[in-house]
Amino acid sequence: MSRIVAVAPVLPPHAYPQAEITAEIGGLVTTDPRRLALLRRVQASSGIDTRHLVLPLEKYAGLSSFGETNDLFLREGLELGARAVEEALDAVGLRPRDVDHLFFTTVTGVSAPSLDALLVGRLGLRPDVRRVPSFGLGCAGGAAGLARVHDHLVGHPDEVAVLLSVELCSLTLQQDDDSTANLVASGLFGDGAAAAVLVGDARAAALGLDGPAVVGAHSVLYPGTEGDLGWHVGGSGFRIVLSGEMAETVAAHADDDVAALLAPLGVTAADVARWVVHPGGPRILDAVRDSVGLDEAEVATSRATLAAVGNLSSAAVLHVLARTLAGPPPPAGALGALVAYGPGVSAELLALRWPGGDEDRSGPHDARNDGPHDGPHDDSHDGRTVAA
């Protein structure tokens, strides 16, 4: 097994109310009064109060090319990613040179060398750190990254690993595109990053570190949905592909996917004490809630994260996880489920076991009715929050 011993969510400093962002970008994407009215309706119903942006809001009108926005991604993403890794390691008393494995995920910028390589010298990581840069997992990248890091640590129980997600979604804004997909996306996605520190069993014991253990994972692609979510990459950069059927796809599969995740543990959704659901939007959260048969309180932390920062693509589920870890702890040995969706359409799910019980046991745990799970968490404008 592996243990998640720290999660550090970070945010850029420029924070704006949703209505202010809508007012500023509306004229950038369309001048058609009917499309502007639709944009306002869609963004007002997004469930989002505030979003953080990597640039001051008034600067977006001046962005003119994919090259310019990608250069900004490299510059600003490096700063945000470095801060996330430093905060996550500091939270558990580790140094950059302690890191053996670094998994990096993004879907909002490209480079070679990738940001993780640039962080080696910047942070003082060892030259022999094993790096896995990933592009294309989209909103599922945070969950998939945790699962792939776990796979590595199962075979390397003495090691320390870091998962880093950096997503600067605002830099993908397509000006003069009044497609419904762009109207929705321009009101849904925010900017942010997150880093998680995971350690193998042997290293956790040696360092005296504790945290939820990863006890299961499940990945699935839904056939025939390749055109429902993703990017069309062209001269203007990343143009959103977003089907109106996404929520229906999630609703049709979530129950079976959760069952497949939990069946090897001999438990069901009723035995899960903490739900960490990707805040893809209100309809995605509703779809998971209704398909799996959850109470609204069980997706309250995801709903609160969406309201506070918007959808941060691969970093979003890590922000929900940080809020969950910062909140009231569940009973010893309690079970958690982490769920996220990305292009493909794909789903990535993890089963977590909180410390204090026998994490290897497969029997059920009575977890319902533990009360609201949206515990104290600082989503302040400087984004300096660590859950360990």
Side-chain angles (χ1 to χ4, degrees):
M1 291 184 300
S2 64
R3 292 187 178 277
I4 303 170
V5 297
V7 182
V10 298
L11 298 164
H14 309 291
Y16 300 93
Q18 176 77 331
E20 186 176 344
I21 297 175
T22 299
E24 178 70 22
I25 68 169
L28 300 181
V29 299
T30 185
T31 57
D32 184 333
R34 294 170 299 176
R35 302 305 286 174
L36 277 171
L38 176 61
L39 178 143
R40 295 187 189 104
R41 289 198 303 273
V42 167
Q43 298 194 3
S45 63
S46 64
I48 298 169
D49 298 328
T50 306
R51 282 186 286 159
H52 291 247
L53 306 178
V54 74
L55 298 177
L57 185 55
E58 66 274 10
K59 297 291 187 181
Y60 286 87
L63 299 179
S64 59
S65 70
F66 182 27
E68 182 182 7
T69 57
N70 201 63
D71 286 346
L72 285 168
F73 172 85
L74 294 178
R75 187 186 75 200
E76 302 298 334
L78 183 65
E79 296 300 319
L80 209 58
R83 205 173 94 214
V85 174
E86 287 174 333
E87 292 186 15
L89 291 172
D90 285 348
V92 286
L94 293 173
R95 302 166 301 165
R97 293 189 65 81
D98 295 320
V99 178
D100 303 292
H101 182 79
L102 174 61
F103 187 104
F104 169 63
T105 187
T106 189
V107 76
T108 53
V110 293
S111 68
S114 49
L115 280 186
D116 53 293
L118 302 178
L119 283 170
V120 173
R122 168 67 181 272
L123 294 179
L125 296 163
R126 298 197 317 268
D128 66 346
V129 64
R130 296 183 183 92
R131 297 181 299 105
V132 181
S134 167
F135 178 90
L137 291 167
C139 294
L146 289 173
R148 301 295 80 81
V149 169
H150 165 71
D151 291 342
H152 176 83
L153 291 174
V154 167
H156 301 83
D158 293 309
E159 292 193 355
V160 172
V162 170
L163 163 66
L164 172 64
S165 162
V166 176
E167 301 288 14
L168 304 185
C169 304
S170 70
L171 296 178
T172 70
L173 175 68
Q174 295 293 301
Q175 300 188 32
D176 300 318
D177 175 8
D178 66 358
S179 65
T180 300
N182 194 47
L183 299 186
V184 172
S186 64
L188 182 61
F189 292 96
D191 296 341
V197 179
L198 292 85
V199 294
D201 274 348
R203 192 64 170 271
L207 296 175
L209 296 175
D210 214 346
V214 179
V215 294
H218 180 66
S219 302
V220 62
L221 283 166
Y222 306 137
T225 62
E226 296 87 349
D228 288 354
L229 179 64
W231 295 126
H232 174 75
V233 183
S236 62
F238 300 119
R239 189 175 298 273
I240 190 73
V241 175
L242 181 61
S243 166
E245 306 301 315
M246 266 297 298
E248 286 74 14
T249 298
V250 170
H253 296 280
D255 191 22
D256 288 341
D257 294 339
V258 169
L261 170 72
L262 299 178
L265 302 176
V267 298
T268 69
D271 300 305
V272 175
R274 293 291 184 269
W275 289 90
V276 181
V277 182
H278 167 64
R283 294 183 64 210
I284 298 299
L285 291 174
D286 291 349
V288 174
R289 179 197 62 196
D290 296 344
S291 178
V292 182
L294 305 180
D295 297 329
E296 176 60 26
E298 293 177 290
V299 295
T301 302
S302 296
R303 198 89 68 180
T305 303
L306 180 66
V309 298
N311 181 346
L312 303 178
S313 191
S314 68
V317 77
L318 300 176
H319 278 241
V320 179
L321 179 59
R323 277 179 171 258
T324 301
L325 296 177
L335 189 68
L338 186 147
V339 183
Y341 297 92
V345 170
S346 62
E348 294 285 344
L349 302 92
L350 280 84
L352 308 175
R353 184 76 74 180
W354 258 253
D358 180 1
E359 287 85 356
D360 290 316
R361 65 186 174 85
S362 59
H365 176 87
D366 183 8
R368 292 284 184 154
N369 302 316
D370 285 334
H373 307 325
D374 185 25
H377 183 83
D378 177 13
D379 263 319
S380 59
H381 291 182
D382 68 359
R384 296 182 59 81
T385 307
V386 175

